[in-house]
Amino acid sequence: MKKITCYILTCVLLFACFSGLSFDVRAAEIDTSALEKLFHKTLKNHSSSIDVSKMNIPYTKKNQEAIFAIYLKLLRTNPEYFHVENKLQAPKNGKNFGKIRPLYTTTASQYKRMLKELETKTKQALAAVPKGVSDAEKVLAIHDYLAYNAEFVPPPSGKQPPAPYNGTAYGALVLGTALCDGYTKAFLHLMKRLGIECKYVYSDKMVHSWNMVRLAGYWYHVDVTWDDRNPDRLGQVHHNFLLISDRLISDKTHKHRNWRAAEGAAPAANSTKYNNFFWRKTSSAIWHHNGQWLYADTPNKSSAAILRAYSFKTGQSANRGTLTGSGPWKTGNISYDKQSALGLYGNRLYYNVPRGIRYVDLSDFSNHEYYNHKGLTSAFFLNEMRVEGGSAKFRVRMTPVSGSVLQERRIGLLRCHGSYNTVTVRPTCKAGGYTIFACVRCTYSYKGAETSKLAHKWTAWKTTKKATVKATGKAGQYCTLCSKKQEKTLPKLTAKPTAKHVPVSATVKSGKTITLKAPANTTLYYTVNSKKNPTTKTTTKVNPGKTKSIKITKKTTVRVIAVKKGCSKSGVVVRNYKIK
């Protein structure tokens, strides 16, 4: 709805129209929860009637109003129920209500088809929301999508009813035409899909509806209807009613009053965080590109608009150059401000000027002429433009702000980036992989989504320095994918006692007997050598703790080695052993 006039379809029970819509459900003799469930089941299944005779609801005016309130709340908070009128038939059954009949605008098969159409357009609208942005940015994206693509259609004069879907989300999203109820329900529908808490808000005094959203615990008003031009101007989007407080929306400029939510009292909206936000400076759509929001700012009436880029992360706007020829436009002595509309397609931001269409190449923010509408004199203006897919729709008027539409045309747009060269960088252990897409016609390029880093693939440990009894050693390994190396210390070796082959010897005369007794943990090895033949004939072992007697028959030398347990026969002498 617009500031001049708004229209809300009223519910009719037994075909009787009620002027007041804020009924007191609590005073009625109705199981509200049970009746709501019946309404839901009936509307989802496109059933012809709801039998409430078993609920024993007395047929009174108070209960009529309560049923109205429950049904109307259901339609306001469930935008998918666009296939019924805001009317009910509820005939009397004795002293109670019998069957309640919704008035459908479609058949069951038509409704099923229209639900698919709504889902397609819903996905298209949600695709306009950039990935990874804040909830405030999501609200901005949906607000601008609806105001940019939908057209406000005033209700017909007199008693003639409006088009059947202008008050629904289906009208706003699929048909592209809406009353205030259509904008409100479409916005509510999309916020639900984005997981953002949102309410349907209305004012009987104003005969108008809008929304409230909750961001970071605070409630804000959003009136998409009053931010769309009336009469509709292609591409024009205002931001005077985007995320504002109770105080601002009710001041002398915004003029909202006496509102309540569909569920009851509306929450307080006390936060002023966005009351003077950057978007107050523009009357054209705001577009997201490379993490920033692009908008046209006309700081005064004597200069052209400036393209600015706002970052939610830094909270700062950067100047991206002048939108050449974008106004203010003049006819005679009259100057008209902010007439250009922005439209993003590919890497080009198109905007209209009095005699044609220009664009900004977002790869370098250079300004170019795209279309010159030949034959226009100084008395005519190409003052409306909206980018719709691969084309631009524009209108020509006598003056920038008034006069009938003299021409309405559509021209094709160049996306520029319809074809890309690609360079793929594979992931490594140090960084993720990605693909660079470079336009084949211009210098624009962008990086695709990154893939995760790879895990290191290590070789087996290899000793680079041996450990000794006195010093530690080192071992190393490396990744076969990225050649990264890592090293570890090897501990010192544990010292082990060894025996050196230095025998204990003695010369024994023939006829003598000697005795060798091996101490515990020590093994004795002995040989008996003749002087005539010094070569060792036999080596005999005496185990630890054992005794061996040797009788010598010739003059010989007995050689003995004592080896402690854990030592080898070669090495340091453990002890000297005397022969008895």
Side-chain angles (χ1 to χ4, degrees), residues 43-282:
L43 297 181
K44 282 183 178 180
N45 297 330
H46 209 285
S47 302
S48 59
S49 63
I50 309 167
D51 190 353
V52 297
S53 57
K54 293 182 179 180
M55 297 181 71
N56 297 318
I57 304 173
Y59 192 84
T60 65
K61 182 178 180 180
K62 187 174 292 186
N63 286 338
Q64 287 178 350
E65 294 176 349
I67 292 172
F68 261 142
I70 294 169
Y71 185 66
L72 191 56
K73 171 191 168 185
L74 199 72
L75 299 188
R76 286 170 168 171
T77 56
N78 294 273
E80 65 273 19
Y81 297 152
F82 56 81
H83 61 313
V84 289
E85 297 184 41
N86 291 358
K87 297 177 181 180
L88 287 173
Q89 290 180 341
K92 188 176 182 181
N93 182 15
K95 295 183 179 181
N96 299 329
F97 284 92
K99 292 184 177 181
I100 299 175
R101 297 185 179 88
L103 301 182
Y104 292 100
T105 59
T106 68
T107 64
S109 60
Q110 287 174 335
Y111 179 53
K112 188 176 181 179
R113 173 182 58 80
M114 292 168 74
L115 274 177
K116 291 182 179 179
E117 293 175 338
L118 178 62
E119 179 62 19
T120 298
K121 288 296 184 179
T122 297
K123 290 179 179 178
Q124 182 177 317
L126 295 176
V129 179
K131 295 181 179 180
V133 298
S134 65
D135 284 351
E137 292 172 274
K138 294 176 184 178
V139 170
L140 167 61
I142 294 301
H143 169 278
D144 279 30
Y145 179 88
L146 288 173
Y148 190 81
N149 292 286
E151 181 176 350
F152 177 78
V153 180
S157 58
K159 295 183 179 180
Q160 184 179 359
Y165 302 110
N166 283 354
T168 69
Y170 181 86
L173 288 170
V174 179
L175 303 180
T177 57
L179 296 164
C180 67
D181 249 17
Y183 285 96
T184 303
K185 291 174 181 176
F187 187 85
L188 175 64
H189 173 65
L190 295 171
M191 288 298 105
K192 284 184 175 181
R193 292 290 289 268
L194 289 170
I196 297 175
E197 192 172 356
C198 181
K199 290 185 178 295
Y200 176 108
V201 178
Y202 68 97
S203 168
D204 288 338
K205 293 285 186 181
M206 297 174 64
V207 197
H208 180 50
S209 67
W210 63 96
N211 299 96
M212 292 185 74
V213 293
R214 190 180 187 186
L215 303 178
Y218 295 95
W219 287 95
Y220 301 90
H221 293 269
V222 178
D223 191 341
V224 182
T225 311
W226 279 26
D227 272 339
D228 203 359
R229 292 289 298 264
N230 180 28
D232 188 79
R233 290 292 180 87
L234 295 176
Q236 291 291 307
V237 178
H238 290 272
H239 302 84
N240 297 319
F241 293 85
L242 175 59
L243 296 177
I244 59 178
S245 63
D246 285 343
R247 185 173 182 178
L248 186 58
I249 202 171
S250 59
D251 67 10
K252 293 182 180 180
T253 302
H254 296 79
K255 300 180 181 180
H256 283 48
R257 65 190 188 278
N258 301 104
W259 62 81
R260 68 194 311 267
E263 299 87 354
N270 298 322
S271 174
T272 60
K273 179 177 181 179
Y274 301 103
N275 277 4
N276 295 300
F277 221 54
F278 79 94
W279 49 57
R280 300 277 178 260
K281 299 179 180 180
T282 186

Side-chain angles (χ1 to χ4, degrees), residues 283-491:
S283 60
S284 46
I286 302 172
W287 299 93
H288 187 270
H289 183 265
N290 283 350
Q292 295 181 316
W293 294 89
L294 303 175
Y295 66 99
D297 177 20
T298 305
N300 54 65
K301 292 186 177 182
S302 61
S303 63
I306 296 173
L307 179 64
R308 298 189 187 276
Y310 181 84
S311 169
F312 272 77
K313 291 183 179 180
T314 64
Q316 300 294 322
S317 287
N319 190 328
R320 297 303 186 199
T322 301
L323 297 177
T324 308
S326 61
W329 301 344
K330 294 182 179 180
T331 175
N333 295 322
I334 304 175
S335 176
Y336 301 96
D337 190 20
K338 300 181 181 178
Q339 294 300 319
S340 291
L342 303 184
L344 183 66
Y345 186 62
N347 198 47
R348 293 180 174 183
L349 189 66
Y350 290 89
Y351 64 96
N352 58 298
V353 294
R355 307 287 174 259
I357 295 174
R358 298 181 63 85
Y359 72 89
V360 176
D361 187 334
L362 297 179
S363 60
D364 58 6
F365 291 97
S366 57
N367 230 293
H368 306 271
E369 182 179 56
Y370 182 74
Y371 170 76
N372 184 10
H373 194 67
K374 297 179 180 180
L376 287 182
T377 66
S378 59
F380 298 91
F381 292 82
L382 192 159
N383 71 329
E384 296 182 41
M385 183 203 73
R386 180 170 66 209
V387 172
E388 299 176 350
S391 65
K393 181 179 179 181
F394 65 86
R395 293 171 181 163
V396 176
R397 294 179 184 269
M398 180 72 74
T399 67
V401 294
S402 63
S404 60
V405 176
L406 301 179
Q407 293 183 31
E408 182 173 288
R409 290 185 58 186
R410 186 186 299 273
I411 61 171
L413 297 178
L414 286 179
R415 187 181 182 87
C416 184
H417 311 314
S419 180
Y420 292 92
N421 290 324
T422 60
V423 177
T424 300
V425 177
R426 297 187 180 280
T428 66
C429 308
K430 296 180 179 179
Y434 56 88
T435 299
I436 296 292
F437 296 85
C439 179
V440 297
R441 297 191 184 96
C442 70
T443 60
Y444 173 73
S445 65
Y446 72 94
K447 185 168 74 172
E450 286 195 13
T451 55
S452 301
K453 293 193 299 184
L454 299 178
H456 289 295
K457 189 174 182 180
W458 299 105
T459 62
W461 288 101
K462 183 177 181 180
T463 301
T464 57
K465 180 183 177 183
K466 291 184 178 181
T468 66
V469 176
K470 296 182 178 181
T472 58
K474 290 183 179 180
Q477 64 176 178
Y478 67 92
C479 175
T480 59
L481 300 177
C482 69
S483 299
K484 182 178 180 179
K485 297 178 180 179
Q486 62 181 13
E487 196 174 57
K488 69 177 181 179
T489 301
L490 300 177

Side-chain angles (χ1 to χ4, degrees), residues 526-556:
Y526 71 91
T527 58
V528 181
N529 300 321
S530 170
K531 280 189 175 183
K532 293 181 179 181
N533 187 6
T535 305
T536 302
K537 299 293 184 180
T538 306
T539 299
T540 306
K541 180 173 69 172
V542 182
N543 291 323
K546 299 295 182 178
T547 301
K548 181 72 173 178
S549 295
I550 308 168
K551 186 176 182 179
I552 305 301
T553 59
K554 294 180 179 179
K555 191 175 184 179
T556 60

